[in-house]
Structures are given as structure tokens and as C-alpha cells.
Amino acid sequence: MSRIPAPLRFVGMVASLVIVFGAIVSLGLGALDKAQNNGTTGLFNLGALLGYDLHFLQVQVSVIFTQTDHTGTPFHNYFVQGLATTIEFCFIAMPLALVLGLVLALMSRSPWRVVRTPARAYVEFFRNTPLLVQMQAIYTSFLLFPSTFFNAFTAGIATLVLNYAAYECENLRAGLAALDKGQGEAAATLGLSYPQTFRLVTYPQIVSVVLPPVINDLIYMFKDSSILSIITIAELTERTQDLARRFGFLSWQFYFLGAALYLALSLPLARLARAVEARLKSASFQPKFDLATASLIILGGMVVVGWVCGVIQEPISPGAVGAALVQLLAATVLAVLIVAGFVFVPGGLVYLIGSLIGAVRRSLARPARGAESGPGVAVSR
Amino acid sequence: MGALVNALVSAFPALLGATELTIACAVVAALIALALGIPAGFGRVSRAPLVRSLSTFYVETIRGTPLLLQLFVWYYGVSIVLLTLFNLDIDTTVYQVLTALNSNSFFPTGGVSSFFFAVVGLGFNYGAYMAEVVRAGIQAVDPGEVEAAHSLGLSQFQTSRLVVLPQALRLMIPPLTNNLITLVQDTSFLQVLGIAELSLVTYGFTTAISSPSIRWTFYGVALLEYFVICYALALVSQWYERRTAHTLAGAH
């Protein structure tokens, strides 16, 4: 049992479940037929059920592989393009979300309240409101000024980045909290500067804590990107819906196919997350390369792959490549600007109210504490 | 400003009703999720291979596919399968049941099938996530304690009830609350099946109004409502965690 590789076992499991389910259903149908119509067929008529399924499967396969839409795009390209768009959005949004999440995590660990409060307000707000409503709010606002900066693409990227920056902030904060304070002091004693300490001492330890939840979040983002279909982005769900609308008699078969494609990508990713977690937790784990550089390359590579996924969907010309690049840059700038706006405007309000309350409290509590502030000064003199 | 206040005041009853519907959907879906998730969570640590593989299949399939697509599969797929295989139409069935109860005037004009499949789909989705929480809670209990309970002569059922569950439940509460928070947020997905819950009603109001400030105010109100519900749940979870922190530390 344990020698069979995991994916094969899963396929076997699915196949056996289908067979068992089919047998039960056909048995039930046969019994029903006998009870109602005095049918003469046998109770166990697997052929009838499988025949029905096989007929539709045949039609579906022929639709996907032989037919084209009015522009001449074959329907199997719909799935490829949809998958490419989904990957494009995930791979561009995730690195950006990680970078902004790191900024937010460092901000929320700051000793100064003026830096900490806005970041906390941002994170709590975005973690406690639905992604879909955030997306609709951003998109309907963007619709007021349609341009290179404000369109469905940048709205989609901005939503994913804004929402996931909050979650990545929490992951990274957990990683930072797991650090031993003494190591930073030891590194400072050894004469390392703050950037050096971060790169060589702090960072590798953060990675081992943060990487598994980040891969999990990538899986979540992969699934959550399906909501982009609501704002007219032609990713996998939208393409599936499109096919289901075109072929109404095959609609649920296409929905099942789309779900199977999502499953086919997210299951290996989940396995990868589990493997990475096990590897990082094992005592013998020794990174053979500079982790900081490696992760920068990986994150940059993800953005490039995402951008390429966007480019290959259209006939390649310098104009199309340039337009895709401009879109990517616009989305990046916009996401950064929106995060900054969200952190500093409502966060600033929260801070103002909080500091006012604090000032009132302190002014009320001053007479009692006034006498105690003396000794500290006296000792230092 | 006057237009803004007028728009908000005239929209208030609709928004209130939509919020109620959101909460009702969330509660029903959470109950379905718990009813599915607890058995599936136990099934994942079961020793019977069929039970284990069935619950693993359920959990992995649901967790590997997006909720949006699952809702479409329920509404367009499962309904057709029920109709063709079992000649079962949710609308007709509910209407017949209500007629038998002499109260079919309660039957909504739009039918109930979209609501039914939306809530069931949401419940099935979160059932898988709840199952993972339950499994993690059960597996977090020290296996030595189970062996000790067995050696003291407790049966399997008694061990579960008296030794494993009291500890596992305490560990499960915070992640279950987290799942409830995301469940409340994900009720916004029900808008794709035309359920008039908070996000769809807000969307309807905002697309009808071209003034940017009124649009943003409406979205601000909707986001604030979700925030209040979810943050209240988060605070309850944090309070519970703080209250049981030292008890759990003592248990390990």
C-alpha cells in the first residue's frame, strides 16, 4: 500500500468511489424501475448509467477538441487561456502581497504607536471583511475613471494584493515573533549592521516558519482568484462559465471539468506545502544557498512568469508585450499607492482618536503618578 | 450631503433585511457545516479504510476547488442530476410539503432552489474545513492518554467521550471561530446565485447611483457591517483563547 505513489492512490480512490457510487445509483434506479413499472430489466444495470455518462462525455470531448468559437479559437484553448490568466493573477499578486505584508509586519512590531496603529487597523479591516465586497468596491470605483490605471486588470490585482497583504502580514509577524531576541543582540555585538543581521541571521529563520503558511495562502489565492470572473476577467472560472452558457445541455459537465482542473493544480500544491513543512521542521535541514537571494529570485521569477502568462494569450507583438508590461507596472504602483492610502488615512484617524483618548486618560491619572517619576531621574544623575 | 443621507435612509430597510438574510444564511450554513464536518473529521482518523477514504475524498475535493465553482456545480449540476435521476425538484418538493402543512402562501415567488443550493453548497464547503479542524484537534491529544484510558478498561466510545473530546474541543474552539468568520465573509459569494444578501443589495444600490461619494458610502456601510460581525467573532475567539491559555499550558 505504501509503495504506491500518492497521486496514483488518489486517482485509484476516485475511480473506486465512482464505480461504487455508480453501482449504488444504478441498483437504486433498477429497483425503482421494477417497483413502478414492473420493468423486466435486471436490478443491476450498470450499462444504462455508464452509457448515459459516456454519451455526454463523448459529446463534451468532441466539443472541446473539434469545435471553435466565432473568432476561430478552439474551445480547448479556453481552458489553457483561463488557467494562464489565473496563474498570471496569482503569481503577480502574491510577491507584491508578500512585500507589502513584510512592510506591514515590521510596522506592526514597531515600538512607536504612530507606526503600529495604522498597520494594525489595516490588517484587522482587511481580514474581517469579505474579499468579494472589497473587489466590487474597488472595481465599481475604478469604473468611474476607466484608464490604464483603472481597469478590471488593475482592480483584480489590487484586490488580491490588498487582501492578501493583511494575511501575509500576520504570517510574517508570527515568523518575526518566533525569533530569539538575543540573536539580534549577538549579531550586533559581532559587528553586523541591521541589514546584514536581517539577511544572514533573521531571514533564514523567518523563512522556515513562514514558508508553509505562505504556500497555503498561495493555494487559497489560486482558489479565491475565481471571484475575478465577476469583474469580467477571463480566468478559469469565467471560461468554464462561458462554455457552460454556450452549451446549456452540457453545463454541469463543464462545471465539473473546471472544478477538476482547479483540483488538479491545488492538490499537488498542497502536497508540496506539506513536504516543505516536513523538510523545514526536520533537524537535519541545512540551506545550501543564500536564502535571501534565493527568495528574491523566486519572487521576481513568479512576477515574470505571471507577466509571460499574460503575454502569451495574445498574438505576440512588441506592442502587446509593452502593453502587458505597462499594465503590470500600473497595477504595482496602484497597489502600493492604495495600501499606503489605506494605512495612512484611516489608520491616522484611528491613531488620532486613540492618542486623544490616551491623552485624556493620562491627564486624569497624572496627580496620582506625578510623584513616582522622580527617582529614575535621580538615579541617572 | 442631503442626497447622500436621503439615499442611505431610503436604502436602510433593504440593507437591514439583507443583513438579516446574511446572518440567517451564515447560521444555517454553519449548522450544516458542523453536522458534516464533525463526522468527517472523525472519519479522517477512523481505522476503517472505507470511512477514512470517503471522508478524505470529501475533504480534499472540497478544499481543492473554489467555492464559486462549487456553487455553480450545486445549482446547475446537482439540481439537474437530482431531477434526471430521481425526478426530484427542490421547488416542487418544498411547495408540496408546504401545501401538506396548509401554508403554501409562505412559498416565495422566486422559488427556493437557489437559496437551498447556495446554503447547502456553503455548508458543504465549510464542512470540509471544519473536518480539518476536528481532525487536528483529535490528533493533538496525546496518544498515550488514549492508551492509558484503554488500559484502564474504558471502551472506545468512553475514551472518545471522556478523554479525547474534552481536550480536543478546547483546542478546536479558536480555529472553529476563525472558520465561522470566513464563513460569514463568504456568504457574499451567494450573490452569484441571486440571493439578495448584503453584498448583492449593496451592489444593486451602487450600480444604480452614479455619484462616487454615495457609492463609496454604500460600500463603506456594507464593509463596516461585515467588519462588525466578523470582528465581534474574532474578539470572542481571542477572549476564549486568553481565558483558556493557562489551562491548556497546564494540560501539556
Side-chain angles (χ1 to χ4, degrees), chain A residues 47-105:
Chain A
L49 189 85
L50 285 182
Y52 174 81
D53 275 354
L54 280 177
H55 169 69
F56 277 102
L57 200 64
Q58 207 180 351
V59 178
Q60 194 182 9
V61 166
S62 82
V63 160
I64 290 173
F65 285 103
T66 59
Q67 295 192 29
T68 63
D69 66 358
H70 63 282
T71 59
T73 315
F75 283 127
H76 57 82
N77 273 12
Y78 270 42
F79 287 110
V80 178
Q81 287 177 349
L83 216 50
T85 314
T86 297
I87 290 171
E88 177 190 7
F89 273 88
C90 294
F91 275 20
I92 291 174
M94 198 63 188
L96 279 174
L98 273 172
V99 171
L100 289 174
L102 182 62
V103 173
L104 287 169

Side-chain angles (χ1 to χ4, degrees), chain B residues 97-115:
Chain B
V97 168
L98 283 178
T99 310
L101 295 171
N102 278 333
S103 51
N104 60 15
S105 58
F106 287 123
F107 191 76
T109 42
V112 292
S113 73
S114 65
F115 179 79

